[in-house]
Amino acid sequence: MTTDDLDDFLAARPLKSPREVYDEIEAARRAAELALPPEATIIPMPEYPYLWPHPLSGIVRFPCALVCGWAHDEDAFAEDREPIVVPVGASAQDLNRILNERPRQRAAVLCGRIETAIRSHFTEVHPGQEPPERRAW
């Protein structure tokens, strides 16, 4: 297929109105929401106790769901100190893969660390009770 063939093909297609394009995008978004059931998690909704410019503004707090006063704190700013390593001859696909794998791996490590802290807390402070689950965001 040449550039002229592509131009002819695109010229023959009727243009969609912005509303039609928006409706298609919304329909695809709704279908995606319905396609995957929300995952259950024991991680509670985070709180942000310190607002910027407070020195502790990167702290994200995950409180106990039973409101016992305990909370697990994570420093969001300390999370990404490792440099991203990209090979010199990396293609666009390699770059895309590298930049997408890293946040997934970091999220898995972070969720594991938070879940471990919550399970340890429930074992020590609320023995015999399982942490309540909620739908993941």
Side-chain angles (χ1 to χ4, degrees):
M1 180 178 260
T2 66
T3 310
D4 293 332
D5 294 338
L6 182 59
D7 290 339
D8 293 340
F9 173 74
L10 292 174
R13 297 192 72 219
L15 290 177
K16 294 181 180 178
S17 71
R19 182 65 191 182
E20 290 172 325
V21 173
Y22 174 78
D23 289 341
E24 284 183 12
I25 293 170
E26 272 299 300
R29 186 188 62 77
R30 283 191 208 107
E33 281 181 355
L34 297 175
L36 297 173
E39 295 180 24
T41 182
I42 63 167
I43 299 174
M45 288 298 291
E47 296 175 352
Y48 307 96
Y50 307 105
L51 300 177
W52 192 85
H54 192 280
L56 298 174
S57 62
I59 298 296
V60 181
R61 182 166 289 156
F62 298 90
C64 178
L66 301 181
V67 195
C68 68
W70 175 87
H72 174 73
D73 290 348
E74 287 285 335
D75 185 357
F77 294 152
E79 193 62 30
D80 193 19
R81 294 197 176 159
E82 192 175 316
I84 297 175
V85 179
V86 179
V88 174
S91 67
Q93 289 85 7
D94 292 337
L95 185 61
N96 187 32
R97 180 185 48 77
I98 291 167
L99 294 177
N100 282 311
E101 283 177 1
R102 182 172 174 134
R104 283 190 204 112
Q105 291 170 349
R106 286 180 48 226
V109 169
L110 176 66
C111 287
R113 194 167 54 235
I114 296 168
E115 286 177 357
T116 300
I118 291 171
R119 289 192 191 285
S120 297
H121 167 71
F122 268 78
T123 302
E124 294 171 13
V125 180
H126 310 291
Q129 187 166 5
E130 287 292 316
E133 290 186 346
R134 66 171 188 82
R135 290 185 178 188
W137 48 87

